[in-house]
């Protein structure tokens, strides 16, 4: 097997380091490339039964993937569909559920993408990255050719328009394009840079469920295929007033009137026409909101009434079973403190504040939390003081 630096060349590695900043040292990139085939299989039990397989990357590879997500992929945040709520800054399972809390909706349909992460192959990721990156290189060269042809024009700060040329660390790459505007050298480095990224973000020819970059890539693929926009257009053409959200592999549609099976079949056909995703028919769920509170990404949307009995905007709540599990954890953390339990308690309290407390996660008040949580949590805080 060739060494990573021989396989991809110094140019792509240098470009990757320039994109990611000081955190991406040469040694880290080389170690990460050597670990690309050494993911750890982890199985966790699903609520619906069975096991979910996660492929967890080794330490150095995971560290580099986090840097890629934070420093590079985030530049393409604008390419993510407005309908996607999973793993998007400022959005969460809470914002996903809140989109469906208007009490005008009479029916909720939940669709599941079968094996969504392993369905996205490395070639699909490569094709999307080529679509995003290569035109930037060509456009940059075109503008400098125009500058040479029309020297009186001033193309100041051209690179600011291009997300792949953001810092001084890639100045050498810009100069390479400027000094060789009619050469394919820069495009060749960009192609190998894309191959390098794909190698770092895929496993066994697909995006692994368990890698930090995979949720963003899943959103990117769903958005690039135009699946949310096509579903939205189909329902509009059918005359349905509706709300659509996507969280990872869950699609949720709320409508004012019941969707016939034929329309649901059309939506399924739109998803499967991509040739990448399949709908898991066994997990398709319909909720009649007059009879049952729908469960959306683990949260209940329940009816709400004021003191006079008039219907208000529906509320988002955490299911009772989950509340009891969190209460049990707080009790254990009070009786037998440990660092791990303290972290889990803090995480759950932040989550509950996002659901129940006005203002969300950042609020210090706990008075709006469910009584089953608030009282044991107050006791937990008292114990923590001593």
């Amino acid at each position: 097997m060739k060494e990573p630096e021989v396989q991809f060349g110094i140019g792509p590695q240098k470009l990757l380091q320039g994109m990611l900043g000081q955190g991406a040292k040469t040694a880290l990139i080389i170690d990460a490339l050597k670990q690309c085939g050494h993911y750890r299989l982890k199985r966790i039990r699903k609520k619906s039964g069975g096991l979910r397989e996660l492929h967890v990357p080794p330490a150095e590879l995971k560290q580099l993937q986090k840097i890629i997500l934070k420093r590079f992929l985030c530049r393409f945040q604008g390419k993510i569909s407005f309908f996607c709520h999973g793993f998007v800054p400022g959005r969460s399972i809470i914002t996903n559920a809140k989109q469906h809390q208007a009490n005008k909706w009479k029916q909720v349909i939940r669709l599941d993408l079968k094996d969504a992460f392993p369905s996205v192959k490395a070639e699909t990721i490569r094709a999307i990255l080529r679509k995003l990156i290569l035109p930037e290189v060509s456009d940059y060269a075109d503008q400098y050719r125009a500058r040479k042809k029309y020297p009186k024009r001033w193309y100041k700060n051209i690179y600011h328009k291009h997300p792949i040329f953001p810092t001084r660390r890639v100045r050498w790459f810009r100069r390479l394009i400027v000094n060789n505007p009619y050469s394919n050298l820069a495009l060749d480095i960009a192609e190998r840079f894309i191959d390098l990224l794909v190698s770092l973000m895929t496993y066994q020819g697909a995006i692994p469920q368990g890698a930090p970059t995979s949720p963003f890539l899943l959103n990117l693929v769903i958005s690039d295929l135009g699946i949310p926009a096509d579903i939205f257009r189909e329902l509009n053409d059918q005359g349905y007033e509706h709300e659509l959200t996507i969280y990872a592999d869950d699609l949720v549609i709320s409508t004012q009137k019941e969707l016939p099976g034929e329309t649901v079949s059309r939506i399924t056909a739109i998803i499967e026409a991509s040739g990448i995703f399949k709908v898991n028919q066994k997990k398709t769920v319909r909720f009649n909101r007059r009879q049952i509170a729908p469960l959306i990404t683990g949260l209940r949307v329940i009816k709400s009434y004021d003191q006079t009995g008039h219907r208000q905007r529906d509320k988002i709540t955490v299911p009772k079973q989950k509340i009891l599990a969190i209460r049990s954890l707080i009790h254990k953390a009070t009786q037998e403190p440990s660092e791990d339990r303290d972290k889990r308690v803090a995480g759950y309290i932040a989550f509950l504040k996002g659901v129940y407390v006005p203002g969300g996660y950042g609020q210090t008040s706990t008075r709006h939390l469910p009584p089953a949580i608030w009282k044991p949590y107050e006791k937990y805080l008292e114990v923590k003081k001593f």
Side-chain angles (χ1 to χ4, degrees):
M1 180 178 178
K2 295 181 180 180
E3 288 297 318
E5 60 266 31
V6 175
Q7 184 179 0
F8 294 102
I10 297 300
Q13 277 195 27
K14 188 177 179 181
L15 185 56
L16 180 66
Q17 287 178 283
M19 298 292 183
L20 304 185
Q22 294 181 349
K25 304 292 185 182
T26 301
L28 177 63
I29 294 175
I30 293 175
D31 289 343
L33 284 168
K34 291 178 179 178
Q35 294 176 351
C36 285
H38 299 86
Y39 283 70
R40 176 172 58 87
L41 179 60
K42 181 180 179 182
R43 293 184 173 92
I44 59 174
R45 193 168 299 280
K46 298 181 182 179
K47 292 181 181 178
S48 58
L51 297 174
R52 185 189 307 279
E53 290 191 349
L54 301 179
H55 291 92
V56 182
E60 286 77 12
L61 179 56
K62 186 174 183 178
Q63 180 184 349
L64 187 60
Q65 287 174 343
K66 288 181 178 179
I67 298 173
I68 291 173
L69 177 63
K70 183 179 180 180
R71 300 282 185 177
F72 180 72
L73 291 181
C74 65
R75 294 172 189 156
F76 303 107
Q77 191 68 56
K79 303 295 182 180
I80 302 298
S81 170
F82 172 78
F83 299 100
C84 293
H85 285 255
F87 314 98
V88 176
R91 304 181 200 173
S92 63
I93 62 171
I94 299 170
T95 61
N96 184 65
K98 283 185 175 180
Q99 292 296 109
H100 301 272
Q101 71 179 130
N103 51 23
K104 66 179 179 179
W105 307 126
K106 300 300 186 291
Q107 186 191 55
V108 174
I109 296 181
R110 201 173 68 206
L111 303 173
D112 179 80
L113 301 181
K114 186 176 182 180
D115 299 326
F117 287 93
S119 295
V120 179
K121 304 303 180 185
E123 286 305 315
T124 303
I125 300 301
R126 182 178 285 106
I128 292 176
L129 290 178
R130 292 181 83 252
K131 188 191 302 185
L132 294 173
I133 294 173
L134 297 186
E136 301 289 345
V137 178
S138 298
D139 187 48
Y140 195 77
D142 288 342
Q143 293 192 53
Y144 267 95
R145 282 197 291 268
R147 178 181 175 180
K148 189 173 182 179
K149 188 175 181 180
Y150 305 102
K152 291 185 179 181
R153 296 182 184 179
W154 178 247
Y155 291 83
K156 187 177 181 181
N157 295 333
I158 291 177
Y159 66 86
H160 285 306
K161 302 176 183 178
H162 303 279
I164 68 165
F165 307 129
T167 68
R168 293 183 178 181
R169 288 179 169 272
V170 294
R171 183 187 296 170
W172 66 272
F173 189 64
R174 296 197 294 270
R175 287 176 177 170
L176 181 68
I177 299 173
V178 172
N179 296 331
N180 304 276
Y182 300 97
S183 170
N184 290 327
L185 181 59
L187 284 173
D188 176 64
I189 291 177
E191 289 273 13
R192 287 184 289 142
F193 167 69
I194 292 169
D195 290 339
L196 179 59
L197 281 174
V198 172
S199 296
L200 290 168
M201 298 188 297
T202 59
Y203 174 62
Q204 295 181 343
I207 60 173
Q209 187 171 5
T213 51
S214 294
F216 184 94
L217 294 176
L218 179 63
N219 284 340
L220 192 62
V221 171
I222 290 173
S223 303
D224 183 75
L225 292 171
I227 291 175
D230 290 344
I231 294 174
F232 187 86
R233 192 179 304 111
E234 173 67 25
L235 290 171
N236 272 353
D237 292 344
Q238 294 292 322
Y240 291 101
E241 189 175 352
H242 66 281
E243 185 65 66
L244 166 68
T245 61
I246 301 175
Y247 191 93
D249 55 358
D250 284 332
L251 285 82
V252 182
I253 303 170
S254 292
T255 56
Q256 275 193 310
K257 54 183 179 179
E258 184 176 349
L259 291 182
E262 182 181 351
T263 302
V264 178
S265 296
R266 286 200 196 101
I267 293 172
T268 301
I270 289 172
I271 296 170
E272 296 185 349
S274 65
I276 294 176
F277 300 110
K278 296 286 185 182
V279 174
N280 191 340
Q281 301 290 349
K282 295 180 180 180
K283 290 188 176 181
T284 299
V285 182
R286 290 173 179 259
F287 296 97
N288 184 335
R289 292 186 60 172
R290 294 175 181 173
Q291 300 174 355
I292 187 172
L295 184 66
I296 300 174
T297 51
L299 297 173
R300 288 280 181 197
V301 183
I302 65 171
K303 296 178 182 179
S304 177
Y305 300 89
D306 61 18
Q307 293 179 347
T308 61
H310 289 91
R311 181 87 177 267
Q312 294 182 316
R313 185 178 177 86
D314 292 351
K315 293 195 304 184
I316 305 298
T317 65
V318 177
K320 184 178 179 180
Q321 187 176 4
K322 186 68 175 178
I323 291 290
L324 294 177
I326 297 173
R327 179 181 179 177
S328 176
L329 173 64
I330 295 173
H331 178 73
K332 288 180 181 178
T334 304
Q335 300 297 322
E336 302 174 11
S338 71
E339 185 178 352
D340 177 63
R341 284 186 180 137
D342 288 342
K343 288 181 180 179
R344 291 173 61 195
V345 168
Y348 278 125
I349 292 299
F351 164 66
L352 292 173
K353 285 181 179 179
V355 176
Y356 292 102
V357 179
Y361 297 104
Q363 302 302 310
T364 57
S365 173
T366 59
R367 294 289 177 175
H368 291 85
L369 296 179
I373 295 294
W374 175 65
K375 293 180 180 180
Y377 183 61
E378 289 289 319
K379 183 178 179 181
Y380 165 81
L381 291 178
E382 287 295 326
V383 172
K384 287 286 289 181
K385 290 180 181 178
F386 298 101

